[in-house]
Amino acid sequence: MSGLFSAAFLQGIGWDVDVYERSSVELVGRGAGITVHPELVEALEASGAGTRDLGVEVHKRIAIDRDGRITAERSLRQTLTSWDRLQRLLRETIDEAHYHLGCTFARVDQDGRGVRVQFADGVVESGDILIGGDGIRSRVRAQMAPQLQPVYAGYFIWRGAPNEADLAPETLRDVFPVFTFHLPERQQVIGYPIAGLDNDLRAGRRRYNFIWYRVADAARLRDMYVDEKGVQHDYSVPPPLVRRDLIAAMREDARAILPPALLDCLAKIRQPFFTPIYDFAAPGIVFGRVAMVGDAAANARPHMGFGMAKAGGDAQALATALRDHDDIDAALRAYNAERQPIGNRIVAHGRRLGTHLGVDLKTEEDRRMHALLQSDGAMLDWIAVPNFLR
Ligand SMILES: Cc1cc2nc3c(=O)[nH]c(=O)nc-3n(C[C@H](O)[C@H](O)[C@H](O)COP(=O)(O)OP(=O)(O)OC[C@H]3O[C@@H](n4cnc5c(N)ncnc54)[C@H](O)[C@@H]3O)c2cc1C
């Protein structure tokens, strides 16, 4: 997404841009829910991608207890979109001839005037700059700053998106139309409506984005990375291969923990999968003629739902700097000066919000924040709210 944003913004200032994507097929059907913040709307509009049919609107957020009773409530109008929708909007800004599937970055060499990039299949391309928008496990960053490694936060999430049409009438009435939180000790269950397949926004065709945060130490996570066939993975298990005993144990726990409406949502997820939470911040996001953007530059825990907005903001700032400076190196330095501290701030804020889960509380400030977030109302005020950077 940060790669597409970068291409869109750079095209806008008259640069020739090519996007190289590792996947050999178009990236569709990923389906994850995305909270829309004002900064994301601004970046989508400014990049030319636009915001048409962006998502589902909710008007309030609630917290509920085990019996489904509302314990806190806030009016807050928010649009919830999906990864698919954003990808489609941004993808349409790039001409076919400049979007290359099946190109895995292997290494970059630079000589002060430009870059020479080699792909895994041996193809070599040259350019003025390389923009690394290749995500949290960035190969570009691994070459430029191998010491920077994402850090496991000590918790992971179970996820899935059941179809609206499968949910019970009480679920549709009580939680489907709103941003819902359920907050047992050291856990968070969060849900909100998103578009259905092919961005279907019609009632009855939408889905419900379901997220359940659970604490697990590194050894337990390592065990969870062993898939149904007994293969050990390093960072994630493809959803169809998540072990059945893990899913069964999770569903068993859910029966003792979740309120009926959220239990219904979980029951209707055919293939739940999990995502471990990692983060890292970088002391620099520019390495000569190589500039990092999005998750590859800095990756925050997802409590603010701000990753897409940051990807758009990084790309916009990079293009603005290149537009405003005659000298490319001065422009990249200006980009680094503007966005590296913002990445740090976002990562720090994610850690602050993560204290809710009570993992590794090191400082007095951590413990103060953890205590504050034990109130359901405080969580509604702090999690995935707009304008937190201000
Ligand atoms: C659980 C969870 C919930 C989230 N919720 C939200 C939310 O509500 N709102 C929000 O804004 N953000 C959210 N995010 C964050 C958001 O998904 C990311 O910030 C966003 O996807 C960043 O995009 P990116 O382009 O930088 O990286 P990525 O989306 O990771 O994209 C990297 C791309 O690079 C490609 N690639 C990787 N390696 C290579 C290589 N060697 N060569 C070529 N291509 C390569 C990949 O195939 C991929 O297409 C969430 C994240 C998680 C984990």
Side-chain angles (χ1 to χ4, degrees), residues 273-340:
F273 63 103
F274 64 90
T275 303
I277 304 302
Y278 288 83
D279 70 3
F280 79 93
I285 59 172
V286 167
F287 307 92
R289 287 293 180 96
V290 178
M292 309 304 301
V293 289
D295 285 6
N299 183 257
R301 303 178 189 184
H303 304 297
M304 299 84 74
F306 201 72
M308 294 291 180
K310 177 186 172 296
D314 285 351
Q316 187 168 16
L318 179 59
T320 304
L322 289 164
R323 183 197 65 198
D324 293 347
H325 291 78
D326 291 334
D327 175 4
I328 290 178
D329 298 294
L332 294 181
R333 281 195 295 276
Y335 165 69
N336 187 73
E338 180 183 342
R339 292 303 290 186
Q340 185 273 341

Side-chain angles (χ1 to χ4, degrees), residues 220-271:
R220 162 109 179 102
L221 183 67
R222 185 92 191 130
D223 170 66
M224 291 176 70
Y225 281 149
V226 177
D227 73 16
E228 182 61 21
K229 294 184 173 147
V231 175
Q232 176 81 56
H233 296 257
D234 283 334
Y235 303 118
S236 66
V237 178
L241 293 178
V242 173
R243 273 201 339 262
R244 274 181 236 143
D245 65 292
L246 293 176
I247 295 176
M250 179 270 290
R251 290 197 192 277
E252 180 67 34
D253 282 358
R255 281 190 278 280
I257 295 169
L258 303 194
L262 292 173
L263 196 54
D264 179 45
C265 293
L266 178 60
K268 306 294 167 50
I269 299 173
R270 281 181 210 114
Q271 197 172 72

